[in-house]
Amino acid sequence: MMIQTRTVTVKAGYAEKVIERFSGSMAVDGMEGLIDRTILVNRKKKDEEEVVMMIRWESIEAWKNWEKSDVHIQGHREKKEKPADDSILSVSVHMYDAVKIIPGKGSAAE
């Protein structure tokens, strides 16, 4: 399993806007090998908020197929044509290999 995180740091009060954007149906949802998307938020700082989208893929190959898909590439082209959102302070993307998954005792996966 491969996990990608995308952290969007925004000015305080703007997290809901990012959450709404990532919460709806997205082109990636229909991709082969996508396990799920999880949206996390951290509002603990006074002047900024973080929204993290965690995307789990069955494999690095599944993620690569998404990255080189026409719909993904087109989405980035369209984004570049839009004006910058001044509420966004930073965006970072990280990739992780899931090396061990340990279910909790109350998990249905047991």
Side-chain angles (χ1 to χ4, degrees), residues 43-59:
R43 295 186 178 99
K44 303 252 189 272
K45 294 183 181 177
K46 188 186 303 186
D47 57 343
E48 65 184 40
E49 300 169 329
E50 288 180 338
V51 178
V52 178
M53 184 163 64
M54 182 175 70
I55 308 167
R56 296 189 316 152
W57 294 94
E58 290 177 355
S59 65

Side-chain angles (χ1 to χ4, degrees), residues 25-102:
S25 179
M26 299 178 78
V28 70
D29 295 339
M31 285 301 295
E32 185 75 31
L34 176 72
I35 297 171
D36 59 22
R37 297 184 296 122
T38 301
I39 301 169
L40 311 165
V41 65
N42 180 338
R43 295 186 178 99
K44 303 252 189 272
K45 294 183 181 177
K46 188 186 303 186
D47 57 343
E48 65 184 40
E49 300 169 329
E50 288 180 338
V51 178
V52 178
M53 184 163 64
M54 182 175 70
I55 308 167
R56 296 189 316 152
W57 294 94
E58 290 177 355
S59 65
I60 188 79
E61 292 77 20
W63 170 77
K64 285 180 181 178
N65 287 337
W66 162 247
E67 286 290 305
K68 62 185 179 184
S69 71
D70 291 340
V71 68
H72 180 254
I73 293 167
Q74 183 61 33
H76 279 277
R77 282 190 190 123
E78 290 171 6
K79 184 180 174 190
K80 285 181 182 180
E81 295 170 3
K82 294 181 181 177
D85 183 339
D86 66 349
S87 68
I88 296 175
L89 302 174
S90 67
V91 177
S92 63
V93 178
H94 298 281
M95 310 295 279
Y96 303 92
D97 291 321
V99 295
K100 182 79 174 166
I101 298 172
I102 303 161

